[in-house]
Amino acid sequence: MKTRHFLKETDFTYEEISELFAMAADFKRHRNHGTPPSLDKQSWGMLFFKNSTRTRISFDVGIAELGGHSLFLDKNSMQISRGESVADTAKVVSRYLHGMVIRAYDHSLLEEFAEEGSIPIVNALTDFLHPCQIYTDAFTIAEKLGESDLASLVGKKLVFMGDCDSNMANSWILGGAHMGMDIVLSGPPEYQPGEQILELMKNTEVRGSFEYVEDPVAAVAGADVLYTDVWVSMGDEAEAEVRKQKLAPYQVNLDLLNKAKPGALFMHCLPAHPGEEVTQEVLDTPNSIIFDQAENRLHVQKAILAVLGINKAQKHS
Ligand code: CP
């Protein structure tokens, strides 16, 4: 059986995502009664080249709850940071581990790891995509709509405000459209969706749609969900002041939220910078479901790990 990876939102089919959502809902409902040990006797590495709170903790706890053992691999104490190749690192760790969760700058590092190693690789964020976040966020929207059912997302309009040439914007374009949602990206012309995601979308069949709308007020009309992310991502610090100035008209404040559909949800992958991309008032409004999103990282990632871990166990049986 070919080793499966989760590097991008389309690595699971629509039908498989529907099953993942059902599994995540079950894990959430029965968390206090234990979780089937899908990762029993498995050891998973977690290699992070960037800081993390939610991703690191939710994977660590999730692997433990599935009966597995996690090893946090500090990049600075790995030989990869002293020049050992990705290919050699991938081949070596594949002899010890059952899977790897990796957060990196360059998406191609994960692709090379997956190509050169022989264990499942999970994308814990790259500069290109953040698929664990999108699956979780889509699950959270479906949960708020009723039954955690993927089909309930079809035709729902989500507006991503801010830097539309970012990993979260890319992931909403790919993941949201794959799940049948209508994704609108709104930001200054300098931060429109980039070539890499547009090229990928040309070769990807999706159920939903995406479009760029420069005017934030026009963009949010009829929106079911408003979403934003920090204006200065990890790696963008040198251009912080320019970004803040250009992105200011795209702040999600109560005035903008009130122009969306009544009861529209507000979402943010966190960490937030109140007063920049979003106001504290919006973060505190009942429409805000930011902490449900954060919690659901655990349940959805457990479902992803369970599926990849079971495949790995079958491969070795
Ligand atoms: N949303 C998210 O990925 O959070 P962390 O950077 O804290 O992992």
Side-chain angles (χ1 to χ4, degrees):
M1 189 188 291
K2 197 171 177 293
T3 301
R4 284 198 78 170
H5 307 285
F6 184 49
L7 303 186
K8 62 183 186 302
E9 286 73 4
T10 44
D11 284 344
F12 287 107
T13 65
Y14 185 84
E15 291 71 24
E16 287 172 328
I17 299 171
S18 185
E19 286 165 20
L20 282 174
F21 279 19
M23 196 187 288
D26 208 45
F27 286 164
K28 185 170 183 174
R29 207 174 300 121
H30 300 297
R31 187 177 177 207
N32 294 335
H33 307 289
T35 308
S38 313
L39 301 188
D40 188 30
K41 300 189 181 61
Q42 293 193 17
S43 296
W44 281 63
M46 305 207 311
L47 177 57
F48 279 53
F49 291 87
K50 292 183 171 193
N51 291 0
S52 169
T53 297
R54 281 143 289 271
T55 309
R56 177 178 172 177
I57 297 172
S58 56
F59 268 112
D60 208 354
V61 172
I63 291 166
E65 291 188 5
L66 291 166
H69 166 64
S70 67
L71 297 87
F72 186 75
L73 306 171
D74 173 17
K75 68 172 190 331
N76 293 323
S77 60
M78 295 276 287
Q79 299 290 9
I80 199 167
S81 66
R82 294 183 61 246
E84 186 167 20
S85 71
V86 173
D88 283 3
T89 307
K91 286 185 176 78
V92 169
V93 302
S94 294
R95 301 292 180 106
Y96 309 132
L97 301 171
H98 296 84
M100 279 281 273
V101 175
I102 307 179
R103 168 168 284 199
Y105 288 89
D106 192 346
H107 192 76
S108 66
L109 182 143
L110 271 69
E111 292 174 330
E112 190 179 352
F113 225 102
E115 184 67 30
E116 299 290 346
S118 55
I119 53 175
I121 304 299
V122 177
N123 181 351
L125 180 146
T126 67
D127 284 351
F128 185 44
L129 296 171
H130 195 2
C132 290
Q133 183 74 55
I134 292 306
Y135 274 32
T136 300
D137 294 342
F139 172 83
T140 309
I141 299 168
E143 188 179 52
K144 296 294 168 194
L145 293 173
E147 298 293 321
S148 310
D149 180 7
L150 182 60
S152 65
L153 299 182
V154 173
K156 291 288 179 290
K157 176 177 173 178
L158 180 143
V159 181
F160 181 90
M161 302 292 304
D163 179 2
C164 304
D165 186 15
S166 63
N167 50 9
M168 283 305 302
N170 292 342
S171 275
W172 270 118
I173 291 171
L174 183 60
H178 181 43
M179 296 184 215
M181 299 180 74
D182 295 325
I183 306 300
V184 172
L185 298 303
S186 188
E190 298 92 324
Y191 299 104
Q192 289 190 46
E195 276 309 311
Q196 193 180 359
I197 189 67
L198 294 179
E199 202 53 43
L200 178 60
M201 293 308 289
K202 272 187 208 158
N203 303 310
T204 307
E205 217 170 285
V206 291
R207 291 165 184 250
S209 66
F210 73 96
E211 67 172 321
Y212 167 73
V213 177
E214 183 180 343
D215 178 0
V217 174
V220 302
D224 298 285
V225 184
L226 294 198
Y227 201 108
T228 192
D229 191 9
V230 292
W231 289 340
V232 184
S233 294
M234 290 177 272
D236 292 333
E237 290 80 2
E239 48 183 86
E241 287 317 310
V242 176
R243 286 177 157 269
K244 286 180 194 172
Q245 197 185 344
K246 292 208 160 128
L247 289 157
Y250 297 89
Q251 181 190 65
V252 180
N253 49 41
L254 278 184
D255 191 37
L256 194 65
L257 184 61
N258 287 335
K259 291 186 166 65
K261 212 180 243 184
L265 300 172
F266 170 74
M267 303 182 82
H268 191 308
C269 53
L270 303 180
H273 288 184
E276 292 185 11
E277 76 276 4
V278 59
T279 60
Q280 189 63 50
E281 284 172 314
V282 168
L283 290 165
D284 292 339
T285 187
N287 307 46
S288 169
I289 57 169
I290 55 175
F291 297 116
D292 296 313
Q293 280 177 264
E295 180 195 331
N296 285 338
R297 294 290 301 275
L298 172 67
H299 311 302
V300 172
Q301 288 164 189
K302 277 169 70 179
I304 293 165
L305 288 168
V307 170
L308 296 179
I310 288 165
N311 277 359
K312 182 67 186 165
Q314 283 168 348
K315 190 179 166 196
H316 286 274
S317 62

